[in-house]
């Protein structure tokens, strides 16, 4: 058993406290490999942003749980070596059982999500509460979820939205004692968030629900999953170099900025990072057919990803220049 504190990681408590006070969102960026981690550390380090590094079930299947934990630890050490003084949390994304959450807590994660959103309400409370009790003994933060997001994120699949019911949130938070709550207000996982033909037809997020939840919970951290904007710039590069992403649309960045004004303290971005890497790899290989050194296409993909992260931190989340207050 290893505590996250020995690894130099931070839980999310202070990050969220400051985010609520100063109205910005802490980024939740997902990793599956070395280059994504490097891009996150550099992107957040250069912008002096706190960061939550997220590991999903799919990432664990892909890269091995132990490997990812050491990668996370390597990220902390790399940040120190480069002189970045930023708080870094290592977070389990969409944990689906008490056992998995416990396993991650015992192996050095500083924050975990238990996603019981597909369970019946009372059952969601029961398991979330059990996870919280164990996590809090170890000073680990817990994110819970109410409401169901449409879309596909590896092991999380749902055909329909079920918006969060604001009438349930106080009871849920009081009884589970979770540290943050993911809610469903119209964001969704993946690159095809809306069944529309053009960008202009994307419906607005349900700010009415967000405001109502905020009113009921007061200064309590709210989390948005599935909040990539499916950046057109990269979708176009992918399509221009042999890809076929049709009608891929995401959440407009100005709506995410607006969400940070109403108590959204964490915004999860995964798909946008995937698009950047795919766009760069497609372009470089198409333009350099003789290239066979992975560093020559993964390196520039990593650099572009860290640029995207810097821009998101500065222009969308507002998390740039906030690490010093945490
Ligand atoms: Zn998610």
């Amino acid at each position: 058993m290893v505590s996250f504190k020995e690894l130099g990681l931070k839980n999310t408590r202070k990050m969220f406290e400051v985010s609520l006070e100063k109205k910005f969102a802490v980024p939740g960026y997902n990793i599956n490999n070395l280059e994504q981690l490097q891009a996150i550390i550099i992107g957040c380090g250069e912008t002096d942003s706190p960061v939550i590094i997220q590991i999903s079930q799919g990432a664990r299947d892909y890269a091995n749980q132990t490997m990812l934990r050491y990668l996370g630890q390597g990220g902390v050490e790399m940040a120190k070596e480069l002189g970045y003084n930023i708080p870094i949390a290592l977070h389990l994304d969409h944990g689906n059982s008490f056992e998995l959450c416990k396993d991650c807590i015992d192996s050095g994660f500083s924050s975990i999500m238990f996603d019981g959103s597909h369970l019946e309400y009372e059952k969601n409370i029961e398991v979330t509460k059990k996870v919280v009790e164990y996590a809090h003994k170890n000073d680990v933060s817990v994110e819970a979820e109410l409401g169901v997001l449409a879309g596909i994120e590896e092991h999380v699949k749902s055909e329909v939205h079920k918006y969060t019911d604001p009438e349930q949130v106080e009871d849920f938070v009081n009884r589970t004692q979770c540290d943050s709550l993911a809610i469903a207000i119209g964001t969704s996982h993946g690159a095809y968030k809306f069944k529309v033909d053009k960008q202009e037809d994307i419906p607005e997020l349900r700010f009415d629900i967000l405001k109502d939840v905020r009113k009921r919970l007061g200064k309590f951290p709210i989390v948005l999953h599935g909040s990539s904007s499916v950046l057109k710039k990269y979708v176009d590069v992918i399509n221009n170099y042999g890809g076929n992403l049709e009608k891929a649309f995401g959440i407009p960045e100005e709506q995410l900025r607006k969400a940070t004004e109403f108590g959204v303290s964490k915004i999860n971005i995964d798909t946008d990072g995937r698009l950047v890497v795919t766009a760069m790899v497609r372009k470089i290989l198409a333009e350099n057919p003789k290239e066979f050194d992975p560093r020559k296409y993964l390196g520039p993909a990593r650099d572009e990803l860290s640029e995207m992260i810097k821009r998101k931190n500065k222009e969308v989340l507002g998390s740039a220049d906030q690490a010093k207050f945490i």
Side-chain angles (χ1 to χ4, degrees):
M1 173 143 177
V2 53
S3 162
F4 69 87
K5 291 172 188 173
E6 293 163 40
L7 308 183
L9 293 161
K10 295 279 191 285
N11 65 25
T12 58
R13 191 174 308 126
K14 190 80 199 292
M15 294 184 190
F16 289 159
E17 227 175 84
V18 176
S19 84
L20 284 168
E21 194 185 307
K22 302 191 72 185
K23 294 189 178 170
F24 66 87
V26 180
Y29 293 121
N30 286 67
I31 60 160
N32 300 276
N33 67 17
L34 172 69
E35 285 80 6
Q36 285 172 314
L37 178 69
Q38 291 172 316
I40 292 167
I41 297 298
I42 291 169
C44 292
E46 295 277 308
T47 50
D48 195 40
S49 167
V51 63
I52 297 171
I53 296 173
Q54 312 209 117
I55 293 175
S56 67
Q57 177 70 46
R60 290 156 60 96
D61 294 345
Y62 174 78
N64 180 285
Q65 172 188 339
T66 307
M67 174 61 86
L68 287 171
R69 174 164 68 80
Y70 281 107
L71 260 187
Q73 197 177 341
V76 171
E77 295 302 320
M78 178 185 165
K80 261 192 242 167
E81 190 185 299
L82 293 174
Y84 303 138
N85 191 14
I86 55 169
I88 301 172
L90 186 64
H91 175 82
L92 168 69
D93 196 18
H94 292 286
N96 57 5
S97 69
F98 171 78
E99 289 70 27
L100 173 59
C101 293
K102 179 179 182 298
D103 193 32
C104 287
I105 293 166
D106 291 348
S107 67
F109 282 62
S110 62
S111 173
I112 49 153
M113 176 197 195
F114 172 69
D115 179 359
S117 61
H118 295 78
L119 301 173
E120 179 265 321
Y121 182 69
E122 287 296 329
K123 186 73 188 167
N124 188 358
I125 289 185
E126 183 192 317
V127 187
T128 302
K129 197 168 168 235
K130 191 174 166 195
V131 169
V132 169
E133 278 166 7
Y134 187 77
H136 284 183
K137 271 189 215 147
N138 295 279
D139 208 18
V140 167
S141 319
V142 179
E143 176 183 322
E145 180 163 336
L146 257 187
V148 179
L149 273 68
I152 297 171
E153 185 182 55
E154 292 161 349
H155 292 70
V156 188
K157 227 183 252 189
S158 180
E159 289 298 313
V160 283
H161 281 297
K162 211 180 103 212
Y163 295 116
T164 301
D165 177 359
E167 293 196 357
Q168 290 180 333
V169 296
E170 282 168 282
D171 181 60
F172 186 87
V173 167
N174 286 337
R175 286 170 63 193
T176 63
Q177 290 294 304
C178 61
D179 302 288
S180 61
L181 184 67
I183 62 169
I185 58 166
T187 63
S188 62
H189 294 124
Y192 302 95
K193 299 190 192 299
F194 303 102
K195 289 195 175 76
V196 296
D197 291 326
K198 16 184 230 301
Q199 186 87 26
E200 304 83 79
D201 297 335
I202 294 172
E204 204 181 46
L205 292 176
R206 292 288 303 271
F207 285 103
D208 56 325
I209 297 177
L210 176 59
K211 285 180 197 169
D212 197 355
V213 169
R214 167 78 164 152
K215 207 170 75 197
R216 289 165 191 267
L217 292 182
K219 280 201 167 185
F220 185 84
I222 295 166
V223 178
L224 292 186
H225 279 242
S227 296
S228 282
S229 296
V230 189
L231 302 163
K232 186 172 183 304
K233 178 178 161 188
Y234 299 107
V235 171
D236 287 349
V237 172
I238 290 171
N239 289 340
N240 288 339
Y241 287 93
N244 183 15
L245 299 182
E246 250 185 277
K247 296 180 185 173
F249 298 110
I251 315 296
E253 291 186 335
E254 58 274 16
Q255 291 194 35
L256 295 171
R257 260 201 310 273
K258 191 173 157 190
T260 64
E261 294 287 315
F262 300 110
V264 169
S265 288
K266 173 173 177 257
I267 290 183
N268 290 3
I269 296 169
D270 188 2
T271 296
D272 278 342
R274 296 179 183 197
L275 292 170
V276 170
V277 172
T278 302
M280 292 301 286
V281 170
R282 276 195 178 277
K283 181 172 188 289
I284 292 165
L285 290 181
E287 289 174 350
N288 304 278
K290 291 192 193 305
E291 192 53 70
F292 64 92
D293 180 346
R295 293 172 297 187
K296 295 287 166 52
Y297 48 88
L298 293 179
R302 173 189 64 196
D303 297 344
E304 186 72 20
L305 179 55
S306 86
E307 290 306 313
M308 183 207 80
I309 286 170
K310 286 181 205 171
R311 194 186 63 77
K312 290 265 187 194
N313 292 350
K314 286 184 206 163
E315 296 175 13
V316 185
L317 307 163
S319 64
D321 297 320
Q322 301 291 350
K324 56 174 148 323
F325 301 109
I326 296 166

